[in-house]
Each structure stands twice: as structure tokens, then as C-alpha cells.
Amino acid sequence: MSDVHNVIIIGSGPAGLILANELHESMSICVLEGGGLRKTEFHDSLRNLDCRRGFPIKTNSREFRYGGASNTWAGLSRPLDAIDFENR
């Protein structure tokens, strides 16, 4: 491992880990995660936000631990609809 990375990915959620997996053979990657391997009371407290603009963020939609929000939804997601493939 080098001291210099080509890419630093913030968060080890599904998107971050997919990106790291795709890039790791061609460049040096660093994944930064704010939590640990297990759920803790401290990291759960970080989910409480004061959202003053835009859409409110549901506290159960974020996880500060390895795997990110995939720990909440366990990999389940809705299948794509036909409209998802249309030009808009």
C-alpha cells in the first residue's frame, strides 16, 4: 500500500464499495468510513440531523458502519420499471 492514493472514497456503503471494487485493480484506493464493523450507540446518535433545507433525511436511512445503509435495507431493492430505461 502506498502513502498516496489515486482515489479516496468517503463511505463504505453500497455505492462506495462497488466503486472501490471496480477501481482497485487499476489504481490505489482508500475507503474512509466513519463507523466500525458493528452498530454502536455513539454512531447511531450521529444520524440525528437538523435538516433546514430540502428533503428531510430519515434517521433510519443512514448507518455509520462498514456497509453503510445496506445494513438497513439488507440488499433489498425494488426492481427497475420500464420508465427507468426511457430517455427523459
Side-chain angles (χ1 to χ4, degrees):
M1 187 161 101
S2 69
D3 293 331
V4 177
H5 300 287
N6 301 104
V7 175
I8 298 175
I9 299 169
I10 310 297
S12 67
L17 291 181
I18 288 170
L19 182 60
N21 187 57
E22 292 295 316
L23 297 176
H24 84 279
E25 289 185 14
S26 60
M27 57 185 65
S28 174
I29 306 293
C30 176
V31 178
L32 297 178
E33 173 55 55
L37 293 176
R38 291 179 176 55
K39 186 175 188 159
T40 67
E41 192 174 315
F42 169 73
H43 290 109
D44 279 351
S45 73
L46 298 175
R47 296 189 294 181
N48 299 321
L49 298 173
D50 183 8
C51 184
R52 296 171 190 230
R53 299 178 108 184
F55 296 102
I57 299 171
K58 294 180 181 179
T59 57
N60 65 351
S61 70
R62 303 167 44 234
E63 293 284 341
F64 287 91
R65 60 182 167 146
Y66 183 77
S70 68
N71 289 292
T72 300
W73 53 266
L76 299 174
S77 59
R78 178 179 166 78
L80 296 173
D81 293 320
I83 194 170
D84 295 321
F85 299 98
E86 294 179 10
N87 289 328
R88 300 191 247 172

